[in-house]
Amino acid sequence: MHILHVVGARPNFMKVAPVIAALEKRESIRQTLVHTGQHYDENMSRVFFDQLGIPKPDISLGVGSGSHAVQTANTMIKLEETLIEKQPDMVLVYGDINSTVAASLVAAKLSIPVTHVEAGLRSRDLGMPEEINRLVTDVLSTLHLTPSRDGDENLMKEGISPAKIHCVGNVMIDTLVRLLPQAELPDIDGVQSNYALVTLHRPSNVDEPEMLAKLLKTFDEISRDCKIIFPVHPRTRQRIASLDIDLDLDNHPGIVLCEPQGYLQFLALQKNATVVITDSGGIQEETTYLQIPCLTMRENTERPVTVDVGTNVLIGRDCERLKSQVKAILSGHVKRGRIPELWDGHSGERIAEILVNGDVLQDALASSTV
Ligand code: UD1
């Protein structure tokens, strides 16, 4: 069986690594890895391949940045040629990025079964490009591999046959479990004492100048009580640079802006943080596993298990609430959490087991669809 994986951006890389490793042990499987090039900066892409031990991509499409339509369409055009040439038996797609939806569309139209790793997550917020990507990808997928039971329920409510759904647990946590012993703090001023770790890149937070300015002012206030370590995503850096704001962030005594970190460095930064402030999806999950308080600057989450079971608290866009929550955490009022079911470091193995079992695919193909 020839399996072709499509990845494109940073959060995909932690998910594909354990799947490739588990499938490598199966003699009946041949694998091809395609990197669309949605993320292309050294520190957004190559560092992760090196640290996670992902094999060099067999094919790099070099798609790069662009509007959503341009990025998705360019990926589709280039990937169609690749799939026609390589003729895989199955395409594996990961998460919810533009590369994921582009690959699903191309494969489904060529009648190649699509398996979606991290299927079924829903924020119910169509203002998020990722929610559109999730919905379209799941409609087109033959096999849905979910990270948690809420994913199964969402899919069944949408009419997906249970024969197509398998709860395999959180594959990103496999990578975390494997690499946690190697996590190493970067050499950044301020990481030796209490600090709040910040990441922001969602359009809802960084594309609106007013909101971004309000967030930065709030960090300025928080930094009087606690250092802020802020690895800045390229899109956020562009937005900060064009902001007219009365704050010298390059020489700020309490806010350290730094480059996006490697996986091992960011893992150590999370593990040692007093609190994490973020709008990322994956970081809500990693902090839940590490049992570090997480304050999420979003109105909703497609990962409700991190709130119901884990350490995550949704703050919305309310900066006053953010300040009071950070104060509470600094004075020891910390939300305790548990590690969700099947977030155990063995999801990659479970995925391999499902994919080598020909009956699973046959049952899914034979079952009625939406
Ligand atoms: C993408 C995903 C998002 C994911 C995030 C992780 C979609 C719709 N969004 O968002 O779900 O959480 O990745 O980072 O797919 N840029 C660089 N260098 C790079 C990559 C991007 O400078 O290596 C700049 C470009 O100017 C680009 C901008 O960052 O326009 C945004 O990149 P893009 O891939 O479009 O979306 P992300 O915000 O990274």
Side-chain angles (χ1 to χ4, degrees), residues 215-224 228 247 252 255:
L215 281 164
L216 294 173
K217 291 231 163 83
T218 307
F219 298 150
D220 178 42
E221 289 175 40
I222 293 173
S223 74
R224 289 170 206 151
I228 304 256
L247 259 183
H252 196 285
I255 303 179

Side-chain angles (χ1 to χ4, degrees), residues 12-26:
N12 282 172
F13 307 143
M14 301 70 145
K15 295 166 196 163
V16 77
V19 181
I20 291 182
L23 287 172
E24 242 164 31
K25 297 185 205 145
R26 312 289 174 139

Side-chain angles (χ1 to χ4, degrees), residues 9-11 38-41 44 65 68 71 96-98 129-130 133 201-202 233-235 238:
R10 191 168 59 175
Q38 178 173 344
H39 282 177
Y40 44 85
D41 282 359
M44 298 292 283
S65 300
H68 284 267
Q71 196 172 54
D96 55 18
I97 64 168
N98 287 343
E130 292 81 3
N133 296 344
H201 73 283
R202 297 256 161 241
H233 186 286
R235 104 182 255 126
Q238 291 165 6

